Amino acid sequence: MQYALLIENLRKRGFVPFFADSVEKGRNIVLNLIPKGSVIGFGGSVTVEQTGILDAMKADYTLLHRSLFDASEHEQLFQKMHVADWYIASANAVAETGDIINIDGRGNRVAEMLFGPKNILIICGTNKVVKDINEGIDRARNVAAPKNALRLNKKTPCAYTGECSYCLSPDTMCKATVIHHHPTGDKNFYLVIINDSLGY
Ligand code: SF4
């Protein structure tokens, strides 16, 4: 796949994309972009964990990441993330058309991307780049959700079959589908696309 078109279309829509040809370069882009001392909230993301960015940031930033807090503090943590300087997460898919696709169960991740911190940063492997919105929704339901359901021990059909059956399970992780066509409000919305397979 050619990524030049993806980058061009993201720019046309008002996003600020970067392309890194390795995880290390992607990590450096993030570290150069975010001023030291910033307070940063994080959406749950295997991609973000695989980049090693948490360890790289620990000394110079205030990190609001669930893994760094006791479970009893998580609800309060979500409130703090809402007013953080930055919010870092991944996406379920990024389309060549420049659209960003996410499906959420709790909704905190998409809520922050839409109406949370002023600066949003998506880190995404090229394994999540798709042709268009439909392919992105398909990827979210048939690639990302089954693997996340297994990881999080959710009792959903996709956890057993690996495919979406548009379930009505109380455990469904697909409660809201959000497609970013443009950044909302006056947000700075950055994407670091890494030429590697990361996360789900
Ligand atoms: S709708 Fe249900 S079966 Fe489909 S991906 Fe979501 S949780 Fe899995």
Side-chain angles (χ1 to χ4, degrees):
M1 186 177 279
Q2 295 297 316
Y3 300 111
L5 181 62
L6 166 67
I7 298 295
E8 186 187 330
N9 283 337
L10 285 167
R11 280 202 187 112
K12 279 184 187 166
R13 291 180 177 279
F15 299 109
V16 183
F18 296 87
F19 190 84
D21 54 23
S22 71
V23 170
E24 189 187 355
K25 286 183 182 168
R27 205 166 49 226
N28 287 336
I29 289 170
V30 175
L31 293 172
N32 287 328
L33 192 60
I34 304 184
K36 288 189 172 46
S38 298
V39 178
I40 307 171
F42 288 87
S45 165
V46 172
T47 296
V48 170
E49 286 168 21
Q50 287 176 341
T51 59
I53 199 78
L54 280 177
D55 280 343
M57 290 183 133
K58 262 180 190 159
D60 298 315
Y61 301 88
T62 300
L63 305 181
L64 306 177
H65 190 282
R66 268 174 287 188
S67 68
L68 304 173
F69 293 81
D70 188 77
S72 64
E73 298 174 286
H74 285 183
E75 282 308 320
Q76 202 185 5
L77 191 62
F78 288 129
Q79 305 303 320
K80 287 184 183 167
M81 286 189 202
H82 190 59
V83 291
D85 302 315
W86 287 74
Y87 190 76
I88 297 181
S90 189
N92 292 134
V94 178
E96 241 180 13
T97 49
D99 302 286
I100 303 165
I101 298 101
N102 282 295
I103 298 185
D104 256 22
R106 179 189 281 270
N108 60 301
R109 181 179 59 139
V110 293
E112 300 307 357
M113 285 184 200
L114 287 166
F115 201 65
K118 165 93 175 164
N119 301 292
I120 306 295
L121 193 151
I122 299 294
I123 303 175
C124 177
T126 45
N127 54 313
K128 295 184 178 181
V129 177
V130 296
K131 196 164 165 291
D132 55 25
I133 289 172
N134 285 340
E135 229 179 74
I137 294 173
D138 184 68
R139 184 183 192 285
R141 287 186 177 271
N142 289 297
V143 178
K147 289 181 178 166
N148 277 319
L150 263 183
R151 177 173 69 95
L152 301 169
N153 199 26
K154 298 284 184 185
K155 305 284 181 284
T156 62
C158 60
Y160 301 97
T161 65
E163 289 179 359
C164 177
S165 56
Y166 282 80
C167 75
L168 300 175
S169 162
D171 248 9
T172 181
M173 299 175 303
C174 304
K175 293 182 180 166
T177 300
V178 170
I179 299 162
H180 268 87
H181 307 292
H182 306 272
T184 48
D186 61 351
K187 290 194 185 315
N188 303 313
F189 201 124
Y190 306 92
L191 292 99
V192 176
I193 313 278
I194 299 177
N195 194 16
D196 206 333
S197 182
L198 293 165
Y200 308 143

